Amino acid sequence: NAGVTQTPKFQVLKTGQSMTLQCAQDMNHEYMSWYRQDPGMGLRLIHYSVGAGITDQGEVPNGYNVSRSTTEDFPLRLLSAAPSQTSVYFCASSPGRILGNEQFFGPGTRLTVL
Amino acid sequence: AQTVTQSQPEMSVQEAETVTLSCTYDTSESDYYLFWYKQPPSRQMILVIRQEAYKQQNATENRFSVNFQKAAKSFSLKISDSQLGDAAMYFCAMEAAGNKLTFGGGTRVLVKP
C-alpha cells in the first residue's frame, strides 16, 4: 500500500492563479480530509468528506473547493490563490466514522503564493 | 466548539532523560478521543498515542505515556528515556465528533546528546 499520496510536494503560485492539490489513498477509507498548517497554529481543517459524493466544510473553508467523485481521490482546488493561502497542506484519511479512528496523513504540499 | 492549547512552544531534554509536554483542551462533548501526533523534519504526521475519554487508565506506548486528567481537561505526554529520534514537533489533538481533529499549536522538542 502506498497509503496517502499528495502531489505536488512544492508549488509556487502568483496571486489570482488557480490550481488543484491532488490527494489519493489506496486503503479504501471512507473518510478523507484536508488540513492546512501555519506556524504556531497547528493544523486546521479545511474540508472533509465522509464518502464518495459527500463533502462538507471544516474550520477554514473560504477560498477552497473540494469534490469526491471516487473513494480514492479527494482533490483540493484553489480558484484564485491569495498570499494568505501560503501554507503547508495535508490530506488525511481514516477507515470510517467511528470516533477515535487513526487518521493517516499524506506527506504534505508546501504552497507559496506570491 | 473544541479548543486545544499547548502552552510550551519548545522543550529541551537531555538524551536518556524524561520530558513532559502539556496540553489542555475544552469541549462540551461527553465522548471524545485525545491524541498526540509527532511531526519530524520530514513533515510526516505520525500518531504517537491516543486516549479515549471514557477510559480512566492512562494510555502507554513503549516509552510514551500520557497523564489524562478528565476533570481538569488536561492531557500531558511523557517521553521517557529520550532518544535523538524523538526530536520533532509534537501536536496534541482532540476528536469529539465526525473524525474532525482539532489541533493545538504544537511543542518543539529538542534532544541534546
Side-chain angles (χ1 to χ4, degrees), chain B residues 23-83:
Chain B
C23 173
T24 57
Y25 63 93
D26 193 24
T27 181
S28 57
E29 301 287 341
S30 58
D31 194 14
Y32 51 90
Y33 270 79
L34 297 162
F35 304 83
W36 279 98
Y37 279 88
K38 171 184 178 182
Q39 187 181 44
S42 67
R43 267 195 339 229
Q44 183 68 49
M45 295 290 286
I46 302 164
L47 178 64
V48 174
I49 199 165
R50 83 184 102 179
Q51 172 85 39
E52 184 179 6
Y54 275 122
K55 290 189 176 178
Q56 293 187 342
Q57 186 172 5
N58 289 324
T60 60
E61 288 286 345
N62 301 313
R63 297 181 296 105
F64 298 88
S65 61
V66 298
N67 184 3
F68 175 46
Q69 300 291 327
K70 191 172 183 178
K73 295 185 177 176
S74 170
F75 184 61
S76 61
L77 174 71
K78 184 169 78 172
I79 307 174
S80 304
D81 186 25
S82 296
Q83 301 175 358

Side-chain angles (χ1 to χ4, degrees), chain A residues 13-88:
Chain A
L13 291 178
K14 294 181 180 178
T15 297
Q17 287 185 316
S18 63
M19 81 158 295
T20 299
L21 306 185
Q22 300 292 345
C23 174
Q25 52 91 9
D26 60 359
M27 298 173 282
N28 200 32
H29 285 172
E30 282 188 74
Y31 185 87
M32 297 185 73
S33 53
W34 277 101
Y35 293 86
R36 60 178 288 173
Q37 182 179 19
D38 301 300
M41 299 189 71
L43 279 73
R44 292 181 293 167
L45 183 65
I46 304 171
H47 284 287
Y48 65 98
S49 169
V50 299
I54 306 169
T55 63
D56 206 346
Q57 296 181 351
E59 181 185 353
V60 287
N62 292 342
Y64 308 95
N65 280 351
V66 292
S67 60
R68 184 98 178 268
S69 56
T70 67
T71 300
E72 295 78 19
D73 301 298
F74 190 45
L76 178 72
R77 298 183 186 85
L78 284 72
L79 298 179
S80 179
S84 60
Q85 294 178 304
T86 294
S87 189
V88 179

